[in-house]
Amino acid sequence: MTVDRIPLAGVIGSPVAHSRSPRLFSHWLRKMGLQGHYIPMDIAADKLESVLRTLPDLGFVGCNVTIPYKERVMEIADHVSDRAVQIGAANTLVFREDGTIHADNTDGYGFVENLRQNAPDWDPTGGPATVFGAGGAARAILASLLDVGVPEIRLTNRSRDRAEQLREDFGDRITVHDWVQAGNIVEGCTTVVNTTSLGMTGKPELRVPLDALEPGMLVTDIVYTPLQTRLLRVAQDQGCATVDGLGMLLHQAVPGFERWFGERPEVDDATRAAVLR
Ligand code: NAP
């Protein structure tokens, strides 16, 4: 008699002790009554490839990838999705039974699903979007905003050359603006997104002037520590719809969980509570 192996998954990075993913996955496994384990793995850079090639033998069906390996794993994977290629980073790996490693990026999916769930009236096609920041997360967000039909994305970043690079990579629907203009370009936008690390606990505040925020706009921050950033506070006071960044983290994990453990988990209040605990 053969006994099925209990599927294993986890998150690879360095450091990973801060990751909330183990809490998230354990919550879903418990709630859905599924067999499986999800483990944080702090791996040294020179061991990354050999670890990834060994994990399937240990019973791993895949893993998430976090800083600093989101780019490196694309060189190691045997197949990289078009989406991950476009973004230039992967956060989800699937280990196939034939021994191959498939890499994908679900950050943009998580970003859009979070907005769809928490701002059901949001119409991304209804007007331009402003995006603050042009780092790693911004790439996934630009790709997803373009995908859902945003007509124009006004992009601004402290280092303008990084924003110019994104315009080159993502095309003419992106317009680049000086960082000093950040407060002005939100005028007439239906969507405003902070993708910088400003406002995060331990970092400086996002000090962009926010007087132009007005009702009818959806404002979201991908920073989720704290949940309520200054941007979201001011936006709420000025009558905008707001969505915090925790939902992006939760939704980006859904495709991996479903693939590895066989059932699609729900993102609900209990999920948020489990991760915040
Ligand atoms: P990153 O690649 O390091 O990019 C950082 C961004 O912040 C760049 O645009 C950078 O501008 C800007 N920035 C940093 N310090 C600044 C300052 N003092 N003044 C102006 N701009 C500044 O980081 P990332 O991976 O994109 O992550 C950004 C944030 O998103 C982090 O807080 C991260 O935790 C969060 N995040 C959340 C989720 C989620 O699921 N909710 C997912 C991914 C990331 P320069 O180019 O000028 O340096």
Side-chain angles (χ1 to χ4, degrees):
M1 189 181 87
T2 57
V3 179
D4 280 346
R5 277 176 131 180
I6 293 176
L8 305 177
V11 52
I12 285 197
S14 191
V16 287
H18 66 283
S19 172
R20 298 188 187 215
S21 297
R23 258 186 268 176
L24 171 61
F25 278 77
S26 301
H27 165 76
W28 278 334
L29 285 167
R30 210 170 32 246
K31 185 182 157 203
M32 297 165 78
L34 295 173
Q35 293 228 323
H37 297 285
Y38 187 94
I39 297 151
M41 294 174 278
D42 192 330
I43 307 295
D46 62 336
K47 296 282 188 297
L48 182 63
E49 178 153 14
S50 59
V51 166
L52 285 175
R53 294 286 171 202
T54 305
L55 285 177
D57 294 336
L58 301 174
F60 279 77
V61 288
C63 65
N64 289 122
V65 182
T66 187
I67 289 168
Y69 299 135
K70 285 183 166 193
E71 291 85 18
R72 262 286 303 293
V73 293
M74 304 222 306
E75 295 160 22
I76 297 168
D78 304 291
H79 180 271
V80 180
S81 71
D82 292 345
R83 171 47 49 96
V85 170
Q86 187 189 30
I87 293 167
N91 70 343
T92 304
L93 302 181
V94 172
F95 304 145
R96 294 260 172 103
E97 276 176 13
D98 63 4
T100 56
I101 299 176
H102 290 237
D104 195 7
N105 192 312
T106 63
D107 278 337
Y109 165 84
F111 172 74
V112 166
E113 285 306 300
N114 183 32
L115 298 186
R116 289 208 168 117
Q117 182 179 47
N118 294 298
D121 295 335
W122 176 55
D123 175 11
T125 65
T130 287
V131 173
F132 300 138
R139 293 186 71 89
I141 286 165
L142 291 191
S144 66
L145 285 174
L146 292 172
D147 237 27
V148 296
V150 171
E152 179 199 350
I153 299 175
R154 301 173 184 168
L155 180 62
T156 183
N157 192 50
R158 174 181 61 176
S159 317
R160 189 180 164 114
D161 55 331
R162 276 183 108 179
E164 298 282 4
Q165 183 60 51
L166 292 194
R167 202 191 75 80
E168 215 165 278
D169 294 347
F170 287 92
D172 286 348
R173 271 195 281 159
I174 315 282
T175 56
V176 175
H177 304 264
D178 281 336
W179 184 237
V180 290
Q181 292 299 326
N184 297 329
I185 58 174
V186 302
E187 214 178 306
C189 283
T190 49
T191 313
V192 177
V193 188
N194 175 43
T195 77
T196 74
S197 47
L198 294 173
M200 195 176 161
T201 306
K203 302 269 178 174
E205 275 295 1
L206 177 72
R207 282 282 163 216
V208 167
L210 298 170
D211 317 329
L213 295 179
E214 56 183 21
M217 293 178 174
L218 169 69
V219 180
T220 185
D221 201 327
I222 71 164
V223 167
Y224 56 85
T225 47
L227 281 176
Q228 186 77 333
T229 60
R230 170 179 174 264
L231 172 66
L232 297 186
R233 241 181 356 256
V234 173
Q236 223 163 46
D237 287 349
Q238 287 171 212
C240 306
T242 60
V243 176
D244 70 51
L246 183 63
M248 175 179 170
L249 179 81
L250 307 180
H251 281 282
Q252 63 77 31
V254 168
F257 186 97
E258 182 177 23
R259 179 74 208 217
W260 302 325
F261 299 113
E263 281 184 44
R264 195 166 185 81
E266 217 179 301
V267 175
D268 54 15
D269 289 344
T271 317
R272 280 176 72 89
V275 171
L276 290 172
R277 206 174 295 136

